[in-house]
Structure formats: C-alpha cells, structure tokens
Amino acid sequence: MSHSLPAPFKVSVAQVQPVPHDLPATLRIVVSAARKAAAEGSRLIAFPEMYLTPDAYETLETLREAALVVERGDLDPLLQVSAETGIHIVVGFFERDGDRTYNTAALIGPQGLIGLHHKRHLPLMPGDCFVDIPEDISVPIFDTDIGRIGLAICYEIRFPEVARTLALEGADIIVLPAAWPEQARILPDLFSTVRANENLVYFMAPNRNDATCGMPFIGNSHIIDPLGSTLVRAGAEDGVFTVEIDITRARNKSLIREPGVFEVHPFRDRLPATYRL
C-alpha cells in the first residue's frame, strides 16, 4: 500500500442515461461527463453497471455481438479523455475475451487502463445469466495516485466478504457500479451505508436510471463516507454528482471517543480464527 496521503479531492458519480444500441453515442456521453467533472476538479468519476452495453440481450450470441473487446481498442476514447484531463474513470460493460464473456467494470487512469474486475457473483437475471465466472479470482484492488481503489459490481454488495476483502487489502475507496430496480431498493438505501461503515471506507455506487426489458432502474446513485454518512445521493434525474473526500479518514480504522477509556478498533479486534468459512 502507498503510504503517501493525497490532499482532499473531489469524486463523482455519473447518472446519465446511455443510448441503447449506440456505443459511440454512449462513449460520447462518458467523455463529456468526464470532461465536465474534471473541469470542476474531480479526480474520479464512476458510471453504472453495463453502462456501455445497456440493451436487453435474449441470447448469448446477441450479447457477445454487442460486448466490448478491450484489446480491440473499444475503450480508447475513455483512455484518451483520462490522459487529457487527469481524471480516473470507472465504467461497466459486457466484455468478450476470446471464448469467455464477462460482466466487467474497468478502471481507467491518466496512464491508461489500470485494471478490470469481472463480476463473480451472478444472479439469474438478463445478461448475467449468459456470462462466465472468471477463472482469475485475484482481489480487484488497484493502486492509483489518488489512493487504493477496489471494484465490485451490483449484486456483489449482498456478500459482505467482497467489501471486507477489499478493505483488508487496503482499499480507500470501493466503487460498485450497479443496475438496481425498485425491487432492490434496500441495497442503495441500507446496504451501501453498512458496507462503508463496517469497513471504514468510502463507498461509491453509481446506479442506472434508464430501463431494460421493461424494468426501470431507480437511479439513487450515492457516495457514502467511512462513518456511514451520505455525502451525495441522487434521485432519478440525470446528473453528475460530486463531493470532496479525504482518504486519510479511510485509513483510520479506529474509533476513539476518549483515549484509554472508550476506544473501538474494528479491524484490530477481529478474531479470524473464530470464524467459520
């Protein structure tokens, strides 16, 4: 883990409807939003799950046809805007990699593609029912010049082990692109707050506000601080929502009200030997 502590900086969640069946148009939306956020001082902007491939796919073949191929240069416009502005970008999409297909979140920085996370916990839902569980299960956490960023995707918020593993590996910020409908409202309303607070990290969850297969997504994109306070929470409207964070707060894993009298150390006081796996 890097021991340097960046000064407070701004981060953003983007909740802007993508353009179905039109990757170039959706990429232009990402580029425009990234430029706007960077101009306002943001160092990181996060977009929702499946954002670049938002359509309904009734077969694996149609999904693979629409899926992005990273090595083909499909993300190049985003690499370019990141290099030009210095902003980091997280965005979700279906990805084709040889004979494998993934639900992917990419982290892009000024120097290029930093890393990919392939969704491992797959619900029986449109799109996810066709994709593969990745063979590589290394922890999706990445060093950047704004701190250590961990990635997860949507349904993975239901598994506390995911966020805890990222936190134990030193995540300052967990970014979880999502596609939550009304039926999953408990996740943005409650789970995000718990995941942030139990791990003492910043938690960013950009959620879609369009619709797929007749199912509308609820927006409600948000950023939560390490004590579980909501810093930003959108409604259903389009927008880019920005707030300043200080990751030194995410590196303090102790809660001390009165030194030597009232102290809580949730990470130091863990007893892994007592936990059944």
Side-chain angles (χ1 to χ4, degrees):
M1 182 194 307
S2 170
H3 295 287
S4 61
L5 297 176
F9 57 89
K10 293 179 180 178
V11 296
S12 307
V13 284
Q15 184 175 284
V16 184
Q17 295 192 26
V19 182
H21 315 293
D22 195 336
L23 174 61
T26 302
L27 286 169
R28 287 194 292 272
I29 292 172
V30 176
V31 168
S32 176
R35 287 193 186 281
K36 180 177 184 295
E40 295 173 354
S42 185
R43 300 291 308 280
L44 167 65
I45 185 169
F47 294 81
E49 179 186 23
M50 304 177 293
Y51 187 77
L52 300 178
T53 49
D55 307 313
Y57 304 103
E58 297 182 355
T59 66
L60 173 60
E61 289 71 26
T62 57
L63 187 151
R64 282 180 59 81
E65 183 178 346
L68 276 62
V69 179
V70 173
E71 292 78 9
R72 188 172 61 193
D74 290 355
L75 295 176
D76 282 359
L78 309 189
L79 273 63
Q80 181 176 347
V81 72
S82 179
E84 291 175 357
T85 65
I87 198 168
H88 295 73
I89 300 171
V90 174
V91 66
F93 52 92
F94 287 119
E95 177 194 359
R96 189 171 78 245
D97 182 9
D99 62 354
R100 312 275 296 174
T101 311
Y102 301 115
N103 182 338
T104 298
L107 172 60
I108 295 164
Q111 285 74 46
L113 179 64
I114 296 172
L116 301 172
H117 170 54
H118 298 135
K119 189 176 182 180
R120 297 158 186 180
H121 302 77
L122 300 172
L124 185 58
M125 292 184 180
D128 277 345
C129 64
F130 298 125
V131 302
D132 295 301
I133 296 175
E135 296 175 352
D136 177 9
I137 56 170
S138 57
V139 179
I141 187 167
F142 306 98
D143 279 302
T144 76
D145 60 5
I146 59 172
R148 285 175 67 80
I149 298 175
L151 299 180
I153 299 174
C154 197
Y155 183 51
E156 294 180 317
I157 197 174
R158 285 192 175 272
F159 303 88
E161 301 89 346
V162 172
R164 176 50 56 93
T165 300
L166 292 170
L168 289 172
E169 291 291 323
D172 302 308
I173 305 168
I174 295 175
V175 184
L176 182 130
W180 289 321
E182 181 63 40
Q183 295 86 340
R185 183 172 286 275
I186 193 172
L187 302 180
D189 284 358
L190 295 178
F191 277 54
S192 292
T193 299
V194 173
R195 295 292 168 264
N197 183 251
E198 70 187 356
N199 292 295
L200 298 169
V201 297
Y202 285 98
F203 196 93
M204 300 175 60
N207 190 41
R208 288 172 60 179
N209 65 337
D210 57 323
T212 296
C213 297
M215 180 174 64
F217 302 110
I218 59 173
N220 216 4
S221 300
H222 51 275
I223 302 171
I224 312 293
D225 81 1
L227 295 183
S229 296
T230 299
L231 302 179
V232 163
R233 185 172 295 274
E237 72 279 6
D238 275 11
V240 174
F241 305 89
T242 301
V243 70
E244 185 175 87
I245 68 170
D246 180 357
I247 64 169
T248 60
R249 296 183 59 203
R251 296 183 182 180
N252 174 22
K253 301 303 185 185
S254 297
L255 305 173
I256 301 175
R257 181 175 298 173
E258 184 178 348
V261 177
F262 189 102
E263 299 186 5
V264 177
H265 306 277
F267 276 51
R268 191 188 73 185
D269 295 341
R270 293 174 67 250
L271 297 172
T274 72
Y275 309 149
R276 290 187 179 272
L277 298 180

